[in-house]
Amino acid sequence: MATSTPTRDAYAKAPRDPKKEPDSDRRQLWRSRLWRFDDKASPYAYIAPFFLVFGAFGLYPLLYTGWIALHRVEMTGLDSMEWVGWENFDKILHDPEFWTSVANTFLIGVISTVPQLLMALGLAHLLNYRLRASTFWRTVILTPYATSVASAALVFALVFRADGGLLNWVTGLFGLDPTNWANGHWTSKIAIAVIVIWRWTGYNALIYLAAMQAVPNDLYEAASLDGASRWQQFRKVTIPSLRPTILFTIVISTIGSMQLFGEPLLLEGGALGATGGNENQYETLSIYLYNYGWNLGHLGPAAAVAWAMLALLLIIAAANWIVGRLARTSAA
């Protein structure tokens, strides 16, 4: 029985020897490989600087702070660290001053965020109409945001001074007694809230204005044809369209209120400002952290406070996300 051996197709080209390939073919092959590598690696190279900077100045300090929170570290002996586990967290959670600072932070956040966003929404609604010198007015309302925290706090500290302050002088014209704004439990919080409102209202107003200008005019025209007034258009068209933006500003304002430091520190200044008042009546979480870390030199509890602030922010962000999702579901 005859057997046949596999043979190469007579019309197929013989395999080329890479050593005998022309230089042009090798260059073209190299360029093709280089192009494929560049196509795959370029996106990672473009975003690498962000991740490098974030890792160096964001992720590493966060993890290192968590590591310090599990040790006993003093400002005077940074090289000596003693493992204590969850002792620092247990210490601050059983400290009444910590919960006082938490309550102060939330109260100041509420009485500053709610009026601030309502005023910003009203200003944005006014600026959304055709006004003369609209660019000028937009610049004017953004000017407080460009002012430094120290400058704003020092100016308002003079306004709220108990002796010779501008506000007490104005209230004295109406026959009211002078008020010691910094020493009162509620007046001190109101004073800090006024500084926050003054600085951030214009910033939020411009965010709302940009969102309002993205609302289609067809919605307003349809509402106008249905006989809706401007107030009804604002409630039924503008507010629902701005719901994601409003949720965003609520989250940002909440994060900012959790980080209040310069305003309470400079309201009275000196030792009283560094402790949040003579009875800790306006001590925020940032001031509480500052006391542990810099005044007392206990870096372990200070790092634990920082992680507690992060946990509170995550809880607030999750609550805002749930509320926003429920609002979208009900609207749908």
Side-chain angles (χ1 to χ4, degrees):
M1 181 176 180
T3 59
S4 60
T5 57
T7 58
R8 182 174 57 88
D9 188 1
Y11 297 98
K13 294 182 179 179
R16 293 182 298 178
D17 187 359
K19 297 181 179 179
K20 297 181 180 180
E21 287 184 0
D23 292 341
S24 60
D25 293 344
R26 287 200 297 268
R27 283 196 299 267
Q28 186 176 3
L29 179 62
W30 170 252
R31 289 174 182 173
S32 177
R33 292 176 179 175
L34 185 63
W35 181 86
R36 287 197 296 269
F37 174 78
D38 178 70
D39 184 56
K40 295 180 179 180
S42 292
Y44 298 99
Y46 292 145
I47 64 175
F50 165 78
F51 286 100
L52 292 175
V53 173
F54 173 75
F57 299 100
L59 184 60
Y60 173 74
L62 180 66
L63 297 178
Y64 187 65
T65 302
W67 180 251
I68 291 178
L70 301 175
H71 291 76
R72 181 179 290 112
V73 188
E74 301 297 328
M75 182 68 72
T76 55
L78 297 177
D79 296 333
S80 59
M81 300 175 64
E82 179 184 356
W83 175 268
V84 295
W86 299 100
E87 181 180 323
N88 290 323
F89 291 94
D90 183 72
K91 183 177 182 179
I92 64 170
L93 291 177
H94 288 85
D95 185 5
E97 188 177 343
F98 170 77
W99 296 108
T100 300
S101 63
V102 171
N104 291 338
T105 302
F106 276 99
L107 286 174
I108 295 173
V110 170
I111 63 178
S112 63
T113 299
V114 175
Q116 173 194 153
L117 297 183
L118 291 177
M119 293 172 60
L121 198 59
L123 287 173
H125 185 61
L126 291 176
L127 292 174
N128 195 32
Y129 290 105
R130 295 185 180 275
L131 296 175
R132 292 183 178 179
S134 59
T135 304
F136 169 76
W137 292 114
R138 294 172 187 175
T139 305
V140 167
I141 67 171
L142 194 61
T143 301
Y145 171 70
T147 307
S148 66
V149 179
S151 301
L154 289 174
V155 169
F156 277 94
L158 297 176
V159 172
F160 290 106
R161 279 183 59 182
D163 52 340
L166 178 62
L167 188 57
N168 280 338
W169 176 78
V170 172
T171 56
L173 298 177
F174 298 93
L176 301 177
D177 296 330
T179 303
N180 195 340
W181 293 90
N183 286 336
H185 284 273
W186 279 101
T187 55
S188 59
K189 297 178 180 63
I190 292 173
I192 295 172
V194 168
I195 304 174
V196 176
I197 292 171
W198 181 81
R199 288 195 68 236
W200 290 96
T201 299
Y203 173 81
N204 289 304
L206 289 185
I207 293 178
Y208 288 150
L209 177 61
M212 286 179 183
Q213 292 179 344
V215 179
N217 290 327
D218 297 342
L219 298 178
Y220 293 105
E221 292 176 359
S224 179
L225 292 175
D226 290 339
S229 63
R230 285 192 172 183
W231 171 246
Q232 291 175 330
Q233 294 177 22
F234 179 74
R235 289 191 304 110
K236 300 297 184 179
V237 177
T238 305
I239 297 298
S241 301
L242 296 184
R243 191 169 292 156
T245 306
I246 293 174
L247 181 61
F248 168 76
T249 54
I250 291 174
V251 173
I252 295 299
S253 300
T254 303
I255 294 174
S257 64
M258 290 289 292
Q259 298 175 343
L260 279 179
F261 179 72
E263 293 86 348
L265 180 68
L266 298 175
L267 181 62
E268 284 189 286
L272 290 177
T275 57
N278 52 0
E279 296 180 359
N280 307 115
Q281 63 268 19
Y282 58 89
E283 182 183 23
T284 60
L285 281 170
S286 298
I287 296 293
Y288 182 73
L289 186 153
Y290 173 80
N291 283 328
Y292 256 123
W294 294 99
N295 291 343
L296 301 178
H298 305 323
L299 298 183
V305 174
W307 270 85
M309 294 172 64
L310 176 62
L312 290 173
L313 285 174
L314 292 177
I315 293 173
I316 294 171
N320 285 328
W321 178 77
I322 293 173
V323 171
R325 185 169 183 177
L326 292 176
R328 288 192 297 269
T329 303
S330 62

